[in-house]
Amino acid sequence: MATAALTIPRPDDWHLHLRDGAPMRAVVGHTAAVFGRAIVMPNLRPPVETVAQAEAYRARILEALPAGSRFEPLMTLYLTPRTTAEEVARAAASPHVHGIKLYPAGATTNSDAGVADLGGIEAVLAAMEEHDLPLLVHGESIEPGIDVFDREAVFVERQLAPLCERFPRLRVVLEHITTADAVEFVLGAPPTVAATITPQHLLLDRNALFDGGIRPHHWCLPVLKRRRHREALLRAVASGSPKLFLGTDSAPHEVGTKHAACGCAGIFSAPLALPLYAEAFEEAGALHALEGFASRHGPAFYRLPVATETVTLRREPWSVSASYPFGEGHVVPLRAGGTVAWRVESAP
Ligand code: NCD
Ligand code: ZN
């Protein structure tokens, strides 16, 4: 008989875009209603480059939380060519900064402040290794002429593998992995190397981008891949590997910037993310592995306690809203207007 309910320690989202200002105030509650903590991405404009900026951003997030919420934003810094070893030391000393994010320049939304030449950040990586501060990586190659569907595999082979060899004690999270190549690399790497996986990459393949017409709400980076890669991701999470944990990459964009001749990359999943993961794990025949992925492997890697509160998922279909308010406008969630098979039971 199919499992009807599942109670797990309150999960965390190890890769989340909250934005800032009114848009942030509109979305943060969706995550805080389900997740205990989230690693908050620093790709604002201007980027969150310093500990002082991260502390100020954290204060704005805390202020925006619904009354009584105990949600904890875990802050990150944006690695730029200007980042110094001194800032790394300050970040490591801060109780609120949990990693530094590497965006190859131009690889994704608001990544133009990122790093074009990995050779130029050796001193910063050495300081991070020294201070034991995790490096979070957007793993896509920006070398010219590389097919967009190959960018992750090329990055893993040409940039990430050598980086991990050169800094063997550096803890690295390869964010939002999408390919069999990345799975193979991460699972074969030492325990210092881990990865997050999004709900969309577990549930959709690249056909979803062109289902009867172009589908801007399935457009994210890294782009959806072909079916065999999705199957490799499902097998990987079903294996229960402690190197893999939940990171939604929920990335809200105002609907007008998605419905455009050059639409923004990013999928908004916060209101339905945990139920979507339950669907994916159920498809993989691995509901028993959801607890590790959602609630235990991330805290172990980031050296934080597992939540003592719990959440319950119930197998009970519900309809997803067509859109949610987002600042002055709206944001369209993944599965808008559709049905999700699981719901998160509201806390007693
Ligand atoms: C993210 C965003 O919109 O900030 N977009 C996305 O497609 N995932 C950036 C990112 O994580 O790549
Ligand atoms: Zn992201």
Side-chain angles (χ1 to χ4, degrees):
M1 212 180 75
T3 308
L6 192 66
T7 297
I8 60 175
R10 185 176 288 287
D12 306 295
D13 184 348
W14 301 98
H15 183 122
L16 175 68
H17 298 272
L18 281 178
R19 313 308 189 201
D20 207 350
M24 180 268 283
R25 290 193 291 275
V27 295
V28 67
H30 294 297
T31 292
V34 174
F35 296 96
R37 297 165 288 206
I39 285 276
V40 180
M41 287 296 126
N43 62 333
L44 304 181
R45 279 189 190 279
V48 180
E49 279 185 63
T50 65
V51 174
Q53 287 169 325
E55 294 283 1
Y57 183 28
R58 177 174 177 273
R60 296 195 294 279
I61 296 167
L62 291 177
E63 210 176 280
L65 287 173
S69 172
R70 289 194 292 274
F71 175 75
E72 274 182 67
L74 309 174
M75 308 312 291
T76 60
L77 303 189
Y78 191 128
L79 210 170
T80 78
R82 297 175 292 280
T83 305
T84 60
E86 291 72 39
E87 200 62 38
V88 172
R90 271 192 288 278
S94 159
H96 301 137
V97 178
H98 295 266
I100 302 190
K101 178 71 189 268
L102 169 62
Y103 289 102
T108 188
T109 306
N110 293 351
S111 65
D112 37 303
V115 174
D117 170 23
L118 289 187
I121 57 165
E122 294 260 310
V124 167
L125 296 178
M128 290 177 67
E129 183 179 49
E130 188 57 39
H131 289 282
D132 198 17
L133 189 62
L135 175 73
L136 319 185
V137 182
H138 183 107
E140 289 197 285
S141 176
I142 47 162
E143 290 173 49
I146 310 242
D147 189 282
V148 65
F149 291 97
D150 296 335
R151 281 182 190 165
E152 182 176 278
V154 170
F155 182 88
V156 165
E157 186 190 325
R158 296 192 195 160
Q159 271 95 38
L160 189 62
L163 186 153
C164 293
E165 268 183 31
R166 187 146 163 56
F167 300 98
R169 289 177 297 118
L170 179 63
R171 280 185 291 151
V172 176
V173 185
L174 182 54
E175 300 288 352
H176 43 52
I177 59 170
T178 63
T179 57
D181 312 71
V183 165
E184 193 187 335
F185 173 76
V186 171
L187 295 188
T192 45
V193 181
T196 55
I197 307 185
T198 75
Q200 62 265 25
H201 293 104
L202 289 171
L203 288 167
L204 302 174
D205 64 40
R206 65 191 194 175
N207 288 297
L209 280 163
F210 311 110
D211 187 10
I214 189 116
R215 298 289 185 160
H217 300 294
H218 290 160
W219 163 230
C220 66
L221 283 166
V223 68
L224 296 173
K225 301 299 192 297
R226 54 165 77 241
R227 184 188 176 108
R228 77 173 178 89
H229 293 294
R230 179 171 93 84
E231 289 168 349
L233 296 174
L234 286 172
R235 276 195 305 275
V237 296
S239 80
S241 168
K243 288 164 152 288
L244 304 175
F245 36 87
L246 186 159
T248 62
D249 196 17
S250 180
H253 290 273
E254 207 285 317
V255 62
T257 66
K258 297 279 295 173
H259 296 183
C262 186
C264 294
I267 291 178
F268 178 56
S269 63
L272 67 160
L274 190 60
L276 289 178
Y277 281 110
E279 281 188 5
F281 276 71
E282 188 168 43
E283 180 187 340
L287 271 177
H288 59 276
L290 183 61
E291 174 171 334
F293 180 81
S295 312
R296 296 189 181 277
H297 303 163
F301 185 89
Y302 279 96
R303 301 186 184 146
L304 292 167
V306 172
T308 49
E309 289 176 29
T310 59
V311 302
T312 297
L313 278 153
R314 202 164 286 285
R315 204 169 198 307
E316 192 179 284
W318 58 284
S319 302
V320 183
S321 298
S323 71
Y324 291 92
F326 187 60
E328 302 285 288
H330 287 88
V331 57
V332 174
L334 187 56
R335 198 70 74 83
T339 304
V340 182
W342 292 81
R343 85 162 65 235
V344 180
E345 212 166 71
S346 42

